Amino acid sequence: MSTTKNLLVELFVEELPPKALKKLGEAFAGTLVASLKAQGLCTEDSVSTPFASPRRLAAHVTAVQAQAADKAVSQKLMPVAVGLTPAGEATPALLKKLASVGADATAVPNLKRQMDGKAEALYFDSLVTGATLAEGLQKALDEALAKLPIPKVMQYQLADGWSSVHFVRPAHGLVALYGDDVVPVSTLGLHAGRITHGHRFEASVDPIELTDADHYAQQLESQGAVIASFGARRDEIVRQLNAAATKQGLKPIDDDALLDEVTALVERPNVLVCQFEAEFLGVPQECLILTMKANQKYFPLLDAAGKLTNRFLVVSNICPEDPSRVIEGNERVVRPRLADAKFFFDQDRKKTLESRVAGLDKVVYHGKLGTQGERSQRVRAIARAIGQQLGGETLAKAADRAAMLAKADLVTDMVGEFPELQGTMGGYYARHDGESDEVAIGIEDHYKPRFAGDELPRNLAGVVVALADKVETLVGLFGIGQLPTGDKDPFALRRHALGLIRMLTERSLALDLPAVLALAVPPFGKLITGPSAALLEFIYDRLAGSLREQGYSAQEVDAVLSLRPARLDDVAKRLAAVRAFAALPEATALAAANKRIGNILKKSDAPVGAFSAGALVETAEKDLHTAMDRVGAVADRHFARSDYEASLTELAGLRSAVDGFFESVMVNAEDPALRNNRLWLLKDLHAAMNRVADLSKLAS
């Protein structure tokens, strides 16, 4: 058994894009080890550890072989009829092919014959020498760099002044250590060695000569003042943030994206406590938090009630003995940002939201759908109609008012600077203008849910306006053919559809989905022709995916949604009923019978006239009709009360009658009248059994 050693590869570069660093580190290590495994240089037990800091991408791989094992290869050459003459001698075509694989005429007697489809073919068996680590690592390194998910590449000149290469940032060093030996590989004009560099300012040793592959992280930390592992550096930042906040009796804001970005900006994190003037707390905290996070990468500190305080945490990349100048510098640069936010807030409040509504006519929404002003009018009309259905005139008026003002904050200075605050600032300005809490909350929440897992609007007016906003978006963009394709969804229509579904289901809204989509069409006038059938299917597809993610089986979801229920608020009850029904001993037989009935009805002409109980002849069909009358009446009462589980359970009592019918009765009787009457009986049975769900979908 060959011995193995551990491998380290590091590419030392200029500062990498912080928002991409985590993915770059994982991709570099992942592709590197995958390529080595594909070449037989890694064992199944090999473990890859990625390292990523602002100035390096690296990977440590365990159990790497110095050379891959030789591999037996059987290569198809050509059909026997082409490669050999009738006398069995090699043709020129065969000799040429053998030369291309490094063999000559002496290999002809040893060629194997095997059937390849309908023809016999010649195969050449050879033993391919396993790749050396130097060869394999060069290939793996080239592949790892080529497959990096780089947002943008740059071109730069090498030291010779003539050559140029392309990479995300200029690279200045390459390390490749196999145990304590250097592996001779190269890339981007660099040749591998054992030299790397630590922190720009705080390294105690520079350059750093790495002793071996296994002490990379320890040497960088002890000599270079760098925590090379992205995960370890992130954990250290979290530890310091929590410790600093706890000393203040506060808690840092929870933001994983900010944490990842800051981790990608520092190599030696040092968390410091800073503060700003308390007078800025008069500005809505969402504005202050956003400007500190987005512009300065600070962590605002909140009190126990979740309210913003005038203190914040900064993650510095240096650890001076006296951090006062670092603290003062960060406090100085944040002050103008907060002053800008205060200025925008004060200026915006000088005009009411209602006075800004006219300004929306100057803001283009979509080239084919008009301005934001026109869109607001459409949302108002839809909101009024939905509000009237859900809460009468009172709710319709509140929803109309909220919808009229909902987009007005788009023309404020604050939202112009921070688009993420649209809706939120509208709520603040509405309260300042004296609007009711119902209207203000409706304005603030009408974009919700903004993302998967986001909370729904807090009041019914907000739900109505949010529904209207999403329905208007979906109907309008589908109406002009702007459908999402593949992974491209520039208008976030999938998110809008899921938000619509969540509100209808989680808020148990008694709304007819096709009717809601239809009522959204008239406000568009001649811009669109009508509700798109593709839109309804799109929404049901999103609903099906959502239900499967919630743990329902594909059969259960298909059984319920194949009926295209207009009311989404009772889909969950239908699914629960289907699941309970499937657990009954009668379920399998009834599902199969239901499928059989459906096939019979599809293959037969539609019955004419009307069903006649007096025309029944066989005892089994009379028994089935009697059972349907008895069971159907009870099942109908349960269905009318939306007790779907009880309705299906009652229908399970039809099993013996259904089995008896198919055992004794010939549906396609020669007598046309008799056949027609039996088809009517089956049609009525099929309709009764499939009111809650299409039970045939449960048949295996």
Side-chain angles (χ1 to χ4, degrees):
M1 184 176 178
S2 61
T3 58
T4 63
K5 295 180 184 179
N6 296 340
L7 173 71
L8 172 81
V9 179
E10 182 206 63
L11 186 65
F12 184 75
V13 297
E14 293 182 15
E15 278 74 5
L16 291 161
K19 291 185 178 179
L21 181 63
K22 186 178 181 181
K23 286 185 178 179
L24 290 174
E26 292 170 349
F28 179 75
T31 306
L32 192 78
V33 74
S35 180
L36 291 174
K37 282 185 177 180
Q39 297 176 74
L41 289 165
C42 284
T43 69
E44 289 300 319
D45 298 327
S46 295
V47 177
S48 171
T49 303
F51 296 95
S53 81
R55 298 200 296 158
R56 73 199 75 239
L57 296 174
H60 179 269
V61 187
T62 64
V64 178
Q65 298 179 5
Q67 183 169 3
D70 295 345
K71 187 177 180 181
V73 176
S74 183
Q75 186 175 355
K76 178 187 172 184
L77 299 178
M78 60 186 62
V80 172
V82 177
L84 298 176
T85 66
E89 296 179 355
T91 63
L94 178 59
L95 294 175
K96 185 176 181 181
K97 183 66 175 178
L98 285 171
S100 70
V101 295
D104 55 26
T106 59
V108 174
N110 298 319
L111 296 180
K112 286 197 310 185
R113 297 188 180 195
Q114 289 183 4
M115 292 303 296
D116 180 40
K118 295 183 179 180
E120 193 177 24
L122 294 171
Y123 287 81
F124 175 66
D125 291 342
S126 61
L127 192 66
V128 177
T129 304
T132 64
L133 178 59
E135 296 167 343
L137 181 57
Q138 184 65 63
K139 180 180 178 181
L141 182 59
D142 292 342
E143 188 176 340
L145 296 184
K147 290 185 176 180
L148 282 178
I150 298 174
K152 283 186 179 180
V153 297
M154 62 180 293
Q155 178 178 319
Y156 61 94
Q157 281 189 330
L158 299 179
D160 61 13
W162 295 96
S163 308
S164 62
V165 293
H166 294 82
F167 195 55
V168 59
R169 293 290 186 271
H172 297 293
L174 178 64
V175 173
L177 292 178
Y178 182 60
D180 55 3
D181 297 323
V182 174
V183 184
V185 293
S186 61
T187 191
L188 302 174
L190 302 168
H191 297 284
R194 62 173 69 246
I195 301 298
T196 188
H197 302 272
H199 196 285
R200 282 189 186 275
F201 310 112
E202 304 208 348
S204 59
V205 177
D206 190 68
I208 298 171
E209 185 173 353
L210 298 172
T211 57
D212 57 47
D214 292 340
H215 292 87
Y216 171 72
Q218 294 93 318
Q219 272 192 268
L220 269 181
E221 189 163 2
S222 61
Q223 298 177 13
V226 169
I227 301 175
S229 166
F230 189 96
R233 201 164 60 253
R234 190 181 193 274
D235 290 343
E236 175 61 17
I237 292 173
V238 170
R239 186 193 67 77
Q240 291 189 36
L241 287 172
N242 289 332
T246 301
K247 284 184 180 179
Q248 302 292 319
L250 304 171
K251 59 181 179 181
I253 197 161
D254 186 16
D255 190 321
D256 284 341
L258 176 62
L259 188 56
D260 283 344
E261 188 173 0
V262 169
T263 302
L265 287 169
V266 299
E267 292 189 309
R268 187 186 187 186
N270 179 32
V271 172
L272 302 171
V273 181
C274 305
Q275 62 181 0
F276 57 83
E277 289 79 359
E279 67 183 74
F280 290 120
L281 293 175
V283 179
Q285 69 176 42
E286 293 89 347
C287 308
L288 304 182
I289 289 172
L290 183 59
T291 191
M292 283 192 282
K293 290 191 330 182
N295 295 322
Q296 304 302 135
K297 315 306 174 189
Y298 295 156
F299 289 84
L301 287 174
L302 311 176
D303 62 19
K307 188 177 179 181
L308 180 67
T309 69
N310 68 325
R311 280 167 282 182
F312 60 93
L313 300 177
V314 57
V315 183
S316 174
N317 194 34
I318 56 176
C319 301
E321 292 184 7
D322 179 10
S324 60
R325 294 185 66 182
V326 178
I327 293 172
E328 290 170 4
N330 282 281
E331 290 177 346
R332 184 173 62 254
V333 296
V334 79
R335 197 170 293 117
R337 298 286 189 182
L338 303 182
D340 286 347
K342 185 176 185 303
F343 174 78
F344 293 146
F345 185 56
D346 291 340
Q347 289 297 111
D348 285 344
R349 288 182 296 171
K350 292 179 180 179
K351 292 177 65 176
T352 65
L353 279 181
E354 188 169 5
S355 69
R356 296 179 182 273
V357 171
L360 294 173
D361 291 331
K362 300 176 182 178
V363 180
V364 175
Y365 166 57
H366 190 284
K368 294 182 179 180
L369 296 174
T371 66
Q372 285 287 1
E374 292 169 316
R375 179 170 184 246
S376 290
Q377 292 301 317
R378 295 193 292 265
V379 173
R380 285 183 69 184
I382 300 168
R384 280 196 303 270
I386 296 175
Q388 193 72 43
Q389 290 186 39
L390 292 178
E393 190 60 26
T394 302
L395 180 59
K397 285 183 177 179
D400 177 58
R401 182 70 180 173
M404 182 184 77
L405 302 175
K407 305 297 181 185
D409 65 356
L410 294 177
V411 291
T412 62
D413 291 339
M414 186 71 82
V415 173
E417 181 71 16
F418 300 111
E420 303 93 330
L421 294 176
Q422 55 189 285
T424 300
M425 295 314 301
Y428 278 107
Y429 296 146
R431 290 186 181 89
H432 178 265
D433 295 346
E435 300 290 343
S436 68
D437 278 346
E438 183 181 25
V439 169
I441 292 173
I443 294 170
E444 185 177 343
D445 289 357
H446 84 278
Y447 289 106
K448 294 179 180 178
R450 296 173 184 258
F451 50 86
D454 190 20
E455 64 179 11
L456 299 182
R458 290 164 288 175
N459 65 13
L460 198 50
V463 169
V464 170
V465 180
L467 279 173
D469 186 66
K470 289 169 174 55
V471 167
E472 191 277 341
T473 301
L474 290 164
V475 170
L477 290 168
F478 266 78
I480 60 171
Q482 292 280 0
L483 283 65
T485 55
D487 60 349
K488 295 181 180 179
D489 187 8
F491 297 101
L493 298 185
R494 294 185 179 95
R495 177 168 56 80
H496 279 80
L498 286 171
L500 172 65
I501 290 165
R502 282 191 60 200
M503 284 185 283
L504 291 175
T505 56
E506 294 178 29
R507 283 301 188 96
S508 300
L509 300 180
L511 291 172
D512 182 298
L513 176 61
V516 168
L517 298 181
L519 67 81
V521 175
F524 283 90
K526 296 181 180 179
L527 295 176
I528 63 175
T529 55
S532 168
L535 173 56
L536 199 57
E537 291 305 305
F538 177 77
I539 293 172
Y540 281 118
D541 284 346
R542 302 281 79 70
L543 176 58
S546 174
L547 292 171
R548 287 192 293 269
E549 288 177 3
Q550 293 172 42
Y552 294 104
S553 71
Q555 275 186 320
E556 292 168 341
V557 172
D558 195 19
V560 171
L561 295 191
S562 62
L563 298 186
R564 293 296 184 256
R567 289 268 302 273
L568 302 193
D569 58 313
D570 68 7
V571 164
K573 287 191 289 185
R574 290 174 183 258
L575 284 164
V578 167
R579 181 168 288 182
F581 173 79
L584 297 175
E586 300 90 350
T588 303
L590 281 174
N594 191 56
K595 187 173 184 179
R596 182 177 179 182
I597 294 167
N599 290 334
I600 291 172
L601 294 174
K602 284 179 184 176
K603 294 176 182 178
S604 305
D605 294 333
V608 296
F611 172 73
S612 171
L616 297 174
V617 176
E618 301 286 346
T619 301
E621 60 184 332
K622 292 178 181 178
D623 290 344
L624 177 57
H625 178 251
T626 301
M628 286 172 59
D629 279 350
R630 183 186 70 254
V631 170
V634 179
D636 288 348
R637 288 198 295 273
H638 290 311
F639 185 87
R641 295 196 299 268
S642 298
D643 190 348
Y644 302 129
E645 185 173 336
S647 182
L648 285 181
T649 302
E650 190 67 30
L651 288 171
L654 292 173
R655 177 187 173 176
S656 60
V658 171
D659 288 347
F661 177 87
F662 281 114
E663 288 171 4
S664 307
V665 178
M666 174 68 70
V667 177
N668 290 318
E670 292 185 10
D671 182 350
L674 190 58
R675 180 171 64 249
N676 185 75
N677 204 51
R678 287 172 179 171
L679 287 173
W680 265 117
L681 182 64
L682 291 183
K683 185 176 181 182
D684 290 344
L685 175 61
H686 194 257
M689 292 177 69
N690 293 307
R691 294 179 70 186
V692 175
D694 183 351
L695 299 183
S696 68
K697 303 295 184 182
L698 302 179
S700 56

